[in-house]
Amino acid sequence: MTTLQITRSADVLPAEEVAALTPLIEDIQRLKVERNAIVAAHNYMTPDIYHLAADITGDSLALAQLALDTDADVIVLAGVHFMAETAKLINPEKTVLIPDLAAGCSLADGITGADVRRLKEEHPGVPVVTYVNTSADVKAESDITCTSSNAVAVVESLGVDRVIFTPDQYLGRWVATQTDTDVILWEGSCIVHERFTGEEIAQHRMTLGDIPVIAHPECPPDVLAEADFVGSTHAMIEWVTTRQPDKVMMLTECSMADNVAEATPNTEYVRPCNLCPYMKRITLDNIRASLETMTHSVEIAPEVADRARRAVMRMLEVGRKD
Ligand code: 13P
Ligand code: SF4
């Protein structure tokens, strides 16, 4: 059984750590002004990035929507590559930077555009719903994208009996439990969320007592069966900030509990601490370097971008549903 990590708001970003980071943060703030740039950070960034460097924080959908709204010329995407690519698709006029090209995603790595073309040949006429955790090539072969915040609504928006759902088998299985639509799955998974098991959660619950469990829908079905609430990172944050429970087990990437702890000072976060090695490629140092050298600028071939953009914009019309 994995050891549990316990976090309270006072443990996150002690004053000495903030003081030591101040010169670096000042460099980042200065460069943001010089470049007319913003730092958009996913909820899984470390607390130093989330609290000290980010102008906007959020889930995958919020980071996609921001690309429509911002006046900045440059977006530094403190997240993973597919998020930067999505921002670039939505707003090709802007420079979108990812501080480390190795910030990938196991879901995005597990499927190609050719795979989706094969699925469409096997299931002619069945629309393809694709999780945003994919490359632009995969999005270009899809009818519509979704995030964890609107996957059910996106599937239902199509008004069909069957969809092909790629690439996350667990999100797809969860969607299938929430709709009357049949879901043809691709067997992809997230290396962070697939590590949780229903058995370990049940065992922890026996020792911890009646602690509420909230989980991301990328977790396997036996984990979701143990959860009191299932939702996107945004929805999980809403859940804890609204309820302010004494204790909660939050089953998602470990840094998120650190980030939300400040807004929920009376809550103790207890969880098996699984970190995303891709998200953890992003650091304050490489955010500063990214702004200094304007690297790595995301570029997408126009013939791919046009088709991928259609699938993303169609999702944005459905909007947030959590
Ligand atoms: P959210 O869209 O819920 O933030 O999830 C993104 C992600 O990568 C989860 O692992
Ligand atoms: Fe991909 Fe999982 Fe990391 Fe999210 S947590 S970026 S889905 S590997």
Side-chain angles (χ1 to χ4, degrees):
M1 192 161 62
T2 32
T3 335
L4 294 176
Q5 179 159 319
I6 300 175
T7 303
R8 279 189 163 275
S9 100
D11 309 333
V12 182
L13 284 180
E16 319 80 72
E17 192 180 331
V18 175
L21 291 172
T22 299
L24 181 50
I25 299 298
E26 284 175 357
D27 280 355
I28 290 172
Q29 303 301 6
R30 173 182 50 79
L31 286 160
K32 283 199 282 196
V33 174
E34 282 172 21
R35 305 286 195 199
N36 188 24
I38 55 167
V39 173
H42 186 260
N43 294 326
Y44 293 165
M45 290 294 100
T46 47
D48 51 356
I49 297 172
Y50 189 89
H51 288 298
L52 306 177
D55 300 285
I56 289 164
T57 57
D59 66 351
S60 309
L61 184 64
L63 300 182
Q65 286 168 329
L66 110 97
L68 277 180
D69 299 338
T70 180
D71 294 331
D73 295 319
V74 178
I75 301 171
V76 179
L77 207 307
V80 290
H81 192 264
F82 76 80
M83 295 174 178
E85 222 179 32
T86 305
K88 182 71 181 178
L89 282 174
I90 292 169
N91 206 328
E93 307 302 315
K94 300 213 183 283
T95 301
V96 179
L97 303 175
I98 179 92
D100 186 332
L101 285 171
C105 169
S106 63
L107 283 165
D109 289 349
I111 188 164
T112 63
D115 291 328
V116 182
R117 283 197 292 279
R118 251 191 321 275
L119 280 170
K120 290 195 287 191
E121 277 163 27
E122 286 166 19
H123 305 281
V126 180
V128 179
V129 178
T130 284
Y131 196 27
V132 284
N133 297 39
T134 43
S135 66
D137 276 345
V138 169
K139 291 182 175 80
E141 297 297 336
S142 307
D143 294 278
I144 187 165
T145 64
C146 70
T147 74
S148 53
S149 88
N150 60 15
V152 173
V154 162
V155 166
E156 288 181 342
S157 75
L158 298 174
V160 295
D161 297 336
R162 258 191 340 157
V163 297
I164 298 168
F165 191 95
T166 73
D168 186 355
Q169 59 178 303
Y170 297 129
L171 178 62
R173 280 176 217 265
W174 184 74
V175 167
T177 67
Q178 307 295 305
T179 72
D180 293 330
T181 312
D182 288 340
V183 177
I184 299 162
L185 297 169
W186 179 259
E187 299 285 306
S189 55
C190 158
I191 55 165
V192 178
H193 292 87
E194 72 179 358
R195 283 172 58 198
F196 298 110
T197 69
E199 196 187 336
E200 71 169 332
I201 306 310
Q203 279 176 9
H204 287 313
R205 261 187 149 165
M206 278 200 313
T207 40
L208 293 166
D210 194 19
I211 178 171
V213 174
I214 64 174
H216 195 277
E218 289 174 10
C219 295
D222 61 333
V223 175
L224 300 184
E226 289 291 332
D228 300 290
F229 175 75
V230 176
S232 68
T233 58
H234 166 90
M236 280 191 276
I237 291 174
E238 287 283 305
W239 195 95
V240 287
T241 50
T242 307
R243 285 176 178 72
Q244 305 265 342
D246 295 337
K247 280 190 188 187
V248 65
M249 189 180 293
M250 188 185 258
L251 300 178
T252 192
E253 212 270 358
C254 195
S255 293
M256 197 166 98
D258 298 336
N259 292 336
V260 75
E262 192 173 276
T264 53
N266 301 318
T267 301
E268 192 172 81
Y269 292 86
V270 184
R271 74 275 187 209
C273 191
N274 295 341
L275 291 167
C276 174
Y278 304 106
M279 291 276 182
K280 264 55 242 187
R281 302 292 306 194
I282 308 300
T283 62
L284 286 175
D285 280 314
N286 61 26
I287 289 173
R288 174 174 59 186
S290 177
L291 281 161
E292 258 163 5
T293 59
M294 296 294 279
T295 52
H296 304 273
S297 180
V298 175
E299 304 301 335
I300 308 164
E303 63 281 8
V304 172
D306 288 345
R307 291 185 297 133
R309 183 177 307 115
R310 264 201 297 278
V312 174
M313 295 308 285
R314 200 171 166 192
M315 168 190 77
L316 291 181
E317 281 164 27
V318 174
R320 178 173 294 289
K321 296 292 176 192
D322 58 6

